[in-house]
Amino acid sequence: MGLNLFEMTAAVAGLVLMVTGAHADQRATLIINGELTIPTRAAAPAHLTDMDEITSGWLYRTDETQALGMDDFDNPSFVFVDVALDLFDKVDGSQGKACSSCHESPGDFAGLTATMPRVNADGMLETTTDLVNTCRTERMGAEAWKYSGGEMSAMTSLIGLQSRGMKVNVAIDGSAQPYWNKGKKLYYTRVGQLDMACSNCHEDNYDVMIRADHLSQGQINGFPTYRLKNARMNTTHGRFKGCMNNIRAQPFGQGSDEFKALELYVASRGNGLTVETPSVRN
Amino acid sequence: MASGVKPRVKVPKTAAAGSAITIKTLISHKMESGQRKDKEGTVIARSIINRFTCEFNGKSVIDITLEPAISSNPYFQFDATVPEAGDFVFTWYDDDGSVYDTRKSVAIG
Amino acid sequence: MELSRRETIAFGLGAVALSVMPFRVAASADDVIAGFTGGANVTDGGVTLTAPEIAENGNTVPIAVAAPGAVAIMVIATGNPESAVVTFNFGELAASQSAATRIRLAGTQDVVAIAKMADGSFGRATSVVKVTIGGCGG
């Protein structure tokens, strides 16, 4: 008697998720530049009823990869932060302005990324990327940057750096609630040829090896992140797209309502973790 | 000239005369290896930084030959002796003929 | 310049011959090492190669080499399509004959460091680096 396609897929998925019981490196402490201690564990926020502890993706990486994130020179992200610093002062658009024409320095954005995405005065859910592009198009008269392109990923890395060391704290109630509910539903919905939801790996099987990859909780407290795999900055929506491709699902668009809602929900799973942007991952 | 190529170097601002210092350098560069193919199956041509040099007051510290197996955003760490105050000059040579350079001064103290 | 029919055909055949030959013939790891050593004898030791046992991602693998008294150190990735990786030539103001960098490895393989010493002799260190494939192919 043959297995139907669903059963076969589930069986294959089960084989792939080998349970080796490999544990996150318990002893590893993230100290940057020998002076900035970044907690990589925290109590799970109240809305996560099935988990006690939330952990940063840093803990699941090899010693060598962890080391790259412990020094702001060894961390290749910072050359892209330098690129963003140049862009911050660069005049662009019909109004003849640069970011620095209105914003004294990137330090103006201290604490912003820790609370993003958030609902604006018009009731729309906005990401940091949206804020940058709104400024560019409406106030600078410049063209919007590609959502996950080089300039935007560099700029959101620079902005995220201004929240490094602060606790992730995104609002999930009030006007944010409908978006959060939508994001939560997406997180738990199986999609694609492999018929998997985000939760299947990142809630049900974190700390387990999937082939040779050590699964993390899929937290985004370190995004944008420099991935060794493609040697560049990677954004949350870029990663969501990659993950959906891996499940052989049709990804939602960069900057789409679905990915923004998902970003809010995933960020909230990290409420209490510490912003690590810009981080280094595999 | 390849676009968006940006050097980044870490050199201490001061050093004792005759002491050894550690230098770290990185440059943002794709290092297109010549192994990749595009959607139509055509090989994407090699385009890398092929040489990096560091000199201090005109004397060689290190001269590195890079091949396509050096990762994107080439990173090098090495040690240099600082005999006197002066300037480190870092130079990267691109396959396409471009030359990128940056310099850092070191005082004795 | 007027070309005779014979010359035109010869040019054409030459062009065809060039396009049929591989653009660049990859030298084997042994050839690359021989190119560096000039065929001289290489003994184990005299150089240390630090590389991870398991590379988290083959696209960016941190390595370090050190060979006190060396003039140059070459790194070869024996399993890469082109095995030469990098050659460090130490100048008079090099405080140590050591360096670190990040390399690409196409798959699990032996990575070899060959040091050329000041007296013309050569030393060698070898490390096996396991290169893994990610989870969902991502």
Side-chain angles (χ1 to χ4, degrees):
Chain A
M1 168 58 81
L3 295 169
N4 69 28
L5 183 62
F6 176 79
E7 284 161 341
M8 277 197 293
T9 312
V12 167
L15 275 173
V16 163
L17 291 174
M18 295 182 304
V19 182
T20 61
H23 285 287
D25 192 347
Q26 303 283 347
R27 60 151 178 83
T29 307
L30 175 53
I31 303 177
I32 297 180
N33 301 332
E35 51 185 22
L36 174 64
T37 302
I38 303 272
T40 50
R41 300 171 174 277
H47 68 85
L48 279 183
T49 46
D50 290 333
M51 286 163 64
D52 294 328
E53 187 181 57
I54 51 176
T55 46
S56 166
W58 183 81
L59 284 172
Y60 300 88
R61 306 279 56 93
T62 63
D63 293 346
E64 293 85 12
T65 309
Q66 287 183 334
L68 292 179
M70 294 176 74
D71 178 288
D72 284 350
F73 201 90
D74 292 349
N75 183 337
S77 307
F78 281 85
V79 73
F80 300 102
V81 169
D82 284 350
V83 167
L85 283 167
D86 288 346
L87 288 170
F88 197 82
D89 288 331
K90 186 176 162 196
V91 170
D92 199 4
S94 61
Q95 301 303 303
K97 291 187 180 200
C99 313
S100 52
S101 307
C102 298
H103 301 287
E104 211 177 286
S105 79
D108 284 5
F109 298 101
L112 176 66
T113 295
T115 63
M116 296 300 283
R118 68 181 183 202
V119 178
N120 67 13
D122 297 331
M124 305 296 290
L125 182 64
E126 275 183 325
T127 63
T128 310
T129 302
D130 293 328
L131 292 182
V132 173
N133 270 340
T134 301
C135 241
R136 286 183 58 78
T137 53
E138 293 181 12
R139 292 188 268 281
M140 288 168 70
E143 279 184 28
W145 278 335
K146 202 159 152 232
Y147 207 90
S148 294
E151 292 110 334
M152 188 58 85
S153 59
M155 188 57 74
T156 50
S157 296
L158 172 61
I159 294 171
L161 173 60
Q162 312 308 314
S163 287
R164 187 167 71 170
M166 301 180 188
K167 297 255 184 288
V168 175
N169 186 19
V170 300
I172 66 174
D173 53 7
S175 52
Q177 186 144 48
Y179 297 106
W180 186 82
N181 287 335
K182 177 175 180 166
K184 181 174 176 179
K185 186 155 181 239
L186 285 166
Y187 192 85
Y188 287 98
T189 303
R190 289 176 180 267
V191 292
Q193 190 180 26
L194 294 189
D195 201 39
M196 292 170 79
C198 315
S199 57
N200 294 139
C201 281
H202 294 301
E203 184 171 287
D204 303 337
N205 285 293
Y206 67 86
D207 201 16
V208 150
M209 300 302 288
I210 178 167
R211 289 168 96 181
D213 217 353
H214 194 181
L215 279 175
S216 70
Q217 288 183 349
Q219 300 285 0
I220 56 176
N221 59 310
F223 273 72
T225 183
Y226 184 91
R227 289 193 68 188
L228 303 182
K229 172 191 142 103
N230 55 24
R232 60 175 171 79
M233 300 313 293
N234 291 257
T235 63
T236 46
H237 291 206
R239 190 64 201 112
F240 293 160
K241 174 185 171 184
C243 269
M244 289 189 79
N245 278 334
N246 291 159
I247 309 299
R248 310 289 192 270
Q250 185 66 36
F252 299 109
Q254 301 284 292
S256 62
D257 291 341
E258 289 88 351
F259 273 175
K260 289 204 253 203
L262 183 61
E263 185 181 336
L264 172 63
Y265 177 70
V266 175
S268 80
R269 290 176 68 90
N271 273 349
L273 267 184
T274 305
V275 175
E276 243 172 81
T277 308
S279 60
V280 181
R281 299 284 188 261
N282 57 326
Chain B
M1 154 150 324
S3 66
V5 178
K6 193 161 178 66
R8 184 171 153 85
V9 304
K10 182 172 178 180
V11 178
K13 291 198 176 63
T14 58
S19 64
I21 61 167
T22 299
I23 293 179
K24 298 183 181 185
T25 72
L26 187 143
I27 188 164
S28 64
H29 191 285
K30 267 187 88 177
M31 297 291 283
E32 191 62 64
S33 64
Q35 295 292 330
R36 299 200 309 159
K37 292 188 177 149
D38 64 18
K39 286 197 194 79
E40 284 82 45
T42 319
V43 170
I44 303 170
R46 164 186 152 150
S47 185
I48 68 167
I49 302 269
N50 58 49
R51 184 176 174 215
F52 166 79
T53 61
C54 171
E55 291 185 344
F56 183 76
N57 287 350
K59 294 188 180 158
S60 170
V61 176
I62 200 167
D63 188 330
I64 305 179
T65 307
L66 292 79
E67 305 286 347
I70 293 291
S71 299
S72 300
N73 310 320
Y75 169 90
F76 294 116
Q77 178 182 317
F78 50 92
D79 297 328
T81 308
V82 184
E84 69 238 352
D87 289 338
F88 280 100
V89 178
F90 306 93
T91 314
W92 292 262
Y93 299 85
D94 197 316
D95 275 351
D96 70 8
S98 309
V99 179
Y100 318 103
D101 60 62
T102 191
R103 61 179 59 220
K104 288 275 185 201
S105 299
V106 180
I108 298 296
Chain C
M1 179 185 104
E2 274 276 294
L3 289 175
S4 72
R5 224 174 272 146
R6 196 172 295 147
E7 283 161 336
T8 310
I9 292 170
F11 273 127
L13 281 173
V16 167
L18 270 174
S19 66
V20 159
M21 279 189 60
F23 179 71
R24 190 172 52 246
V25 178
S28 72
D30 290 335
D31 291 343
V32 166
I33 293 173
F36 183 64
T37 62
N41 194 33
V42 183
T43 52
D44 284 326
V47 55
T48 54
L49 167 63
T50 309
E53 209 185 299
I54 303 176
E56 182 128 53
N57 193 289
N59 196 39
T60 311
V61 184
I63 62 159
V65 291
V71 166
I73 303 177
M74 183 177 195
V75 178
I76 298 106
T78 59
N80 273 4
E82 292 177 44
S83 53
V85 179
V86 63
T87 306
F88 300 103
N89 298 291
F90 301 104
E92 61 179 294
L93 286 187
S96 68
Q97 290 74 43
S98 65
T101 185
R102 296 162 190 164
I103 70 174
R104 294 167 170 153
L105 295 177
T108 298
Q109 61 185 281
D110 284 347
V111 178
V112 179
I114 311 262
K116 179 177 180 181
M117 311 309 288
D119 63 7
S121 66
F122 291 87
R124 168 181 55 217
T126 307
S127 266
V128 178
V129 181
K130 294 193 182 71
V131 177
T132 58
I133 300 173
C136 298

